[in-house]
Amino acid sequence: MKIAVFCGSSSGENPAFVEATRALGHYLAGQGVDLVYGGGNVGLMGVIADSFLEKGAKVYGVIPEYLKERELAHQGLTELSIVADMHERKASMANMADAFVALPGGAGTLEEIFEAWTWAQLGHHAKPCAFYNINGFYNLLMEMVLNMVHSGFLKPHHAEMLIHTDNAETLLSSIRSYQAPRQKWT
């Protein structure tokens, strides 16, 4: 199984983000999971890649040419693909991955996981989307998702398709047992 992880190119202010990211990577790699991620060697991106590599897992990076230098492309990966732009990066990662997980990050992290989730709602794929909620990072976002449901902009079963947990074992078991809901327009 290959899991795509979206996360920050910085480490954040709280050391818990780095510690939990490293622990998650070690756990998933120990369970036979390989990593697909943005290809960077900085921030949580570098931490997640290194944690998988430390446990002997395969790590596949995908980075746009123009970010290769800015995000300091990781040179120790199983495979590093250089692509033209962010659209190609996301499409390549989506094709390679069996599931998508967002760790703490900024606007780019949210954009990537929301696009994967939207594709799932539309039936473009039937892969699980998850938020790994380190230190309650995504609590307010999950409240916003519920607000979308209560306001009539999101079907409850599309909100329920999101996995959100701060426990590595629960994350992986939820990914493995995931059943996609019916498509948005059916």
Side-chain angles (χ1 to χ4, degrees), residues 153-167:
F153 291 102
L154 182 65
K155 302 272 188 226
H157 64 272
H158 289 129
E160 292 164 4
M161 70 193 300
L162 291 176
I163 298 164
H164 52 97
T165 182
D166 62 357
N167 181 279

Side-chain angles (χ1 to χ4, degrees), residues 23-87:
L24 177 65
H26 287 165
Y27 174 77
L28 293 174
Q31 299 298 310
V33 173
D34 293 325
L35 175 66
V36 176
Y37 86 117
N41 192 29
V42 294
L44 294 184
M45 292 175 71
V47 172
I48 195 69
D50 288 341
S51 66
F52 272 81
L53 291 168
E54 288 164 4
K55 294 296 182 180
K58 293 179 182 173
V59 177
Y60 303 91
V62 183
I63 194 166
E65 178 67 41
Y66 68 93
L67 287 181
K68 192 169 76 170
E69 296 303 320
R70 291 182 187 163
E71 290 185 356
L72 303 172
H74 200 299
Q75 299 303 311
L77 306 180
T78 307
E79 183 180 304
L80 178 64
S81 299
I82 311 299
V83 296
D85 54 34
M86 291 297 286
H87 297 292

